[in-house]
Amino acid sequence: MSAASVSPAATRARLAAIRVQLRPATAASLLVVAFLAVAVIAPSVLTSGSPTTIDLQHTLLSPSFSHVFGTDDAGRDLYTRAVYGARESLGIGLGATGLAMAIAILLGFAAGLARGIVDAVLTRILEVAFAFPVLLLALLLIAIRGPSVATEIVAVGIGSAPGYARMVRGQVLHVRQAGYIESAVALGHGRWVVIRQHLFPNAIRPLVAVMTLGVGQSIVWASGLAFLGLGVAPPSPEWGALLDAGRDSITTSPWLEIMPGLVIVLVALAVTSLGRTLQHRLEGAAR
Amino acid sequence: MTTAAEAADPAVPIPALSRAPSARSGVRAVRWGLVKLALAILVLVAAASVTFFAQLLVPGDRATTILNQQTGRAQLWSAADLAPVNHQFGFDRPLAVQYVDYVSGLFRGDLGTSYTQHKPVTEVIGAQIVPSLVLTVAALVTAWVLSLVVILVTVKRRRFVTAIGSTWEALTASLPPYWIGVVLLVVFAVELRVFPVIGGTGVAGTVLPVLTLALPLAGFLGQVTRDEFEKVLDQPFITTARTRGMSDTGVRLKHALRHSVLPAVTLSGWALGSLLSGAVIAENVFGRPGIGQVLVVAVNTRDVPTVSGIVLVVAGVYVIANLLVDLAYVLIDSRLRAS
């Protein structure tokens, strides 16, 4: 009996199913994320060098086999610096997204649950927030508080919160109408029990995927601020700081911009692609 | 900065079709227009309120900050020293008066006084806004053309071609503008020497900055339009048109396109605001004059009134663009109903 279920044909079919599900894009994205995880946890595994070793005899070398990303004006290996910068960059991305989500869940649930005048006022406030592009809102905040890592996280977090808030509100309104909420209410469960046990988890679930997309997005925005010289300052190996450091030599040593930029692009693409896949899976699971 | 994440983001406002009024009733149309206008003004007043209170958030005494910036020192000043500054910037008036003055200034074309340059913010922004607007509008038009060409050529073609189209969109939509800018600059200005490195505001110097902004937006608009286009091509009226003997190109151009651009039209108002802020980065990469330079200097010198002024101008552009989008939407929509 049990032999039938593990017959070679069945196994092959199951493997084929897995292989179909693991599209090349997803596999590549997983690879990038795995690489990123190692860079964050144990950067020394990926590179033998140090991000701060100055080598004045090998300054501004273009990418080669010994220095795959090239070297900067102090002869530091750019690849090593990018690997060591991953921790701070990812931290900024996660911090900003986390802050944005916290604000969004607060506002979104307040608007979606309260309905009526509270909802109307909050929706208007969000509409006003949309008139401020994320980058400009961030710049305004930096002008007020001065550039720092904390300001950068808060700026990107607040800037991207309205978009998520609108999404959360929509989710809450959508889930409110679900049959299981009606049943729970009909069964006599209290308001807060229904909210805590049914509404909250179901409204939050799709946000997991959105949050994944958001981390990539936040890293890109934060690096944009750094590119303008308003984020983490050099000589930190944070990716935005690498961009800032290379900005004055775009025409003579373009790899100082292109390579860190490529790292950011790859991470953003990988995270976005995984977020999308996750979104489809979760939607499929909900159905 | 437009990226793929926003494509899936329902946050970007998309007015429901049903919200558009019927063009038959003129009175209703006028009333709808007035309501829209009132809401737009409300958004601007709210935006001005935000920037007003933002200025109050500057740590420490504002007059002290201004004097320190002026003299390059960091010290405390006597009341006698601070009084003229307080008077010049109107900090000695009650907060409510300052607030009303600031918000009403929006309608008088007065955005306050720069902390560092000691002249009206409107004068500081002044002519700099023109090259930025030129760049922004050119980028919007280019993005539309690019995205429509890719859509017309690649949607529902052979699998290979379709895949190239959608991959191209996903890829460009996630590229940060500073990176595209640097790559374009290195390839076309430094290596191939097709365009000048420091472009200025001439036509030759405008091409690369425009592409820098247009490429990610084209990818984003393309992603939005592609979904619609695919759905429309499956509609019965398309089959009807085909059975009447209409060519494939004709079907795509005459029927499918018009029905599938609505979401992208709606997003264009938002895109214009976002492009204008992206222009800050593009101008920085190419050393192009515009609000980008003014803004970065202002942020670095903590000149909050100037930063606020630019933020308000961009918010204004966003609001006006969205009014126009609402109008365009009604026009396209009523034409759809008539046909």
Side-chain angles (χ1 to χ4, degrees):
Chain A
M1 282 290 273
S2 62
S5 64
V6 289
S7 72
T11 312
R12 223 175 297 140
R14 203 173 302 159
L15 275 179
I18 292 170
R19 217 174 298 142
V20 167
Q21 282 173 356
L22 198 70
R23 294 174 303 127
T26 313
S29 307
L30 283 173
L31 202 69
V32 172
V33 171
F35 204 84
L36 183 67
V38 176
V40 168
I41 299 163
S44 56
V45 172
L46 298 174
T47 169
S48 55
S50 147
T52 49
T53 303
I54 290 173
D55 179 359
L56 293 176
Q57 283 179 325
H58 297 100
T59 60
L60 296 176
L61 294 178
S62 55
S64 64
F65 279 112
S66 51
H67 298 284
V68 277
F69 282 14
T71 61
D72 68 6
D73 53 354
R76 292 173 294 201
D77 180 55
L78 200 57
Y79 164 75
T80 307
R81 288 177 67 70
V83 167
Y84 277 89
R87 196 174 290 171
E88 198 172 356
S89 289
L90 195 69
I92 291 172
L94 285 173
T97 313
L99 179 67
M101 280 293 168
I103 299 173
I105 287 173
L106 213 67
L107 293 181
F109 268 85
L113 289 175
R115 309 287 294 270
I117 187 103
V118 178
D119 184 25
V121 170
L122 284 176
T123 309
R124 279 271 157 263
I125 290 177
L126 289 182
E127 222 152 276
V128 173
F130 280 117
F132 298 106
V134 180
L135 186 71
L136 285 184
L137 202 61
L139 288 178
L140 183 62
L141 215 69
I142 293 171
I144 294 166
R145 309 297 314 184
S148 74
V149 178
T151 314
E152 199 175 0
I153 292 175
V154 172
V156 174
I158 291 181
S160 47
Y164 299 130
R166 190 182 276 243
M167 211 180 293
V168 175
R169 175 180 171 272
Q171 273 300 321
V172 173
L173 290 180
H174 176 74
V175 172
R176 264 181 92 121
Q177 292 169 346
Y180 53 82
I181 299 286
E182 214 172 305
S183 324
V185 173
L187 283 171
H189 289 296
R191 185 180 161 81
W192 289 107
V193 174
V194 174
I195 290 175
R196 201 174 57 235
Q197 296 199 336
H198 300 287
L199 209 121
F200 192 75
N202 284 297
I204 290 294
R205 196 188 298 131
L207 294 178
V208 177
V210 174
M211 197 163 165
T212 318
L213 297 170
V215 173
Q217 183 73 61
S218 298
I219 292 178
V220 169
W221 271 322
S223 63
L225 291 176
F227 178 81
L228 293 174
L230 300 167
V232 180
S236 159
E238 195 267 335
W239 297 339
L242 293 181
L243 290 172
D244 187 14
R247 196 164 38 125
D248 293 329
S249 46
I250 296 177
T251 49
T252 49
S253 324
W255 61 89
L256 291 179
E257 284 307 296
I258 293 180
M259 289 306 180
L262 193 64
V263 170
I264 295 167
V265 168
L266 278 181
V267 169
L269 271 176
V271 172
T272 307
S273 158
L274 285 182
R276 284 284 159 75
T277 312
L278 206 60
Q279 217 164 21
H280 286 300
R281 289 283 168 85
L282 289 174
E283 273 168 21
R287 247 174 242 144
Chain B
M1 274 176 260
T2 316
T3 67
E6 280 161 344
D9 186 352
V12 184
I14 299 176
L17 260 172
S18 55
R19 211 188 285 168
S22 119
R24 274 170 290 164
S25 159
V27 181
R28 260 167 72 193
V30 169
R31 212 175 65 186
W32 173 83
L34 286 178
V35 168
K36 281 278 172 195
L37 197 66
L39 282 177
I41 291 172
L42 204 69
V43 168
L44 272 184
V45 168
S49 310
V50 171
T51 53
F52 175 79
F53 288 109
Q55 297 181 21
L56 297 183
L57 286 175
V58 176
D61 176 56
R62 283 186 286 177
T64 310
T65 313
I66 292 168
L67 270 181
N68 278 336
Q69 252 162 9
Q70 213 173 3
T71 55
R73 277 185 274 179
Q75 64 173 72
L76 289 173
W77 299 80
S78 68
D81 288 331
L82 292 174
V85 179
N86 273 322
H87 185 72
Q88 187 197 344
F89 286 88
F91 299 153
D92 50 358
R93 293 173 303 165
L95 210 57
V97 175
Q98 290 183 44
Y99 173 72
V100 172
D101 185 54
Y102 185 79
V103 172
S104 63
L106 203 62
F107 303 96
R108 288 181 276 118
D110 175 9
L111 293 170
T113 310
S114 161
Y115 285 174
T116 49
Q117 303 194 29
H118 299 271
K119 52 182 182 181
V121 169
T122 42
E123 215 173 284
V124 177
I125 304 174
Q128 300 291 338
I129 191 78
V130 179
S132 297
L133 278 176
V134 169
L135 178 61
T136 304
V137 173
L140 185 64
V141 174
T142 311
W144 263 96
V145 173
L146 273 177
S147 71
L148 290 186
V149 168
V150 173
I151 289 293
L152 285 172
V153 173
T154 66
V155 172
K156 291 226 169 191
R157 303 287 185 182
R158 267 176 297 168
R159 243 172 92 177
F160 173 66
V161 178
T162 306
I164 289 183
S166 55
T167 309
W168 163 259
E169 281 157 9
L171 196 72
T172 49
S174 350
L175 294 179
Y178 58 80
W179 197 70
I180 298 185
V182 170
V183 171
L184 288 177
L185 182 75
V186 170
V187 173
F188 291 102
V190 180
E191 296 296 329
L192 300 176
R193 297 169 189 276
V194 185
F195 296 105
V197 173
I198 300 292
T201 50
V203 176
T206 304
V207 175
L208 292 181
V210 165
L211 280 180
T212 301
L213 291 178
L215 281 175
L217 182 62
F220 174 59
L221 290 178
Q223 284 180 318
V224 179
T225 312
R226 177 174 297 267
D227 287 350
E228 283 299 309
F229 207 93
E230 272 172 0
K231 272 183 227 154
V232 172
L233 280 184
D234 285 336
Q235 294 286 318
F237 74 89
I238 295 289
T239 318
T240 314
R242 286 193 202 277
T243 50
R244 279 202 316 263
M246 197 176 215
S247 72
D248 183 52
T249 318
V251 166
R252 279 167 192 262
L253 279 173
K254 284 204 166 150
H255 291 291
L257 198 59
R258 201 210 286 176
H259 282 81
S260 51
V261 292
L262 281 176
V265 167
T266 323
L267 288 169
S268 289
W270 160 84
L272 206 59
S274 153
L275 279 176
L276 205 47
S277 70
V280 173
I281 286 180
E283 285 164 358
N284 213 274
V285 174
F286 293 94
R288 187 187 149 88
I291 48 161
Q293 312 272 4
V294 181
L295 185 58
V296 172
V297 171
V299 173
N300 269 317
T301 55
R302 316 281 294 273
D303 184 2
V304 181
T306 302
V307 179
S308 300
I310 292 174
V311 169
L312 276 182
V313 168
V314 174
V317 168
Y318 170 89
V319 165
I320 293 168
N322 273 302
L323 275 179
L324 293 177
V325 163
D326 280 337
L327 202 67
Y329 207 88
V330 173
L331 290 178
I332 297 177
D333 183 41
S334 60
R335 208 168 49 182
L336 284 180
R337 280 186 201 169
S339 64

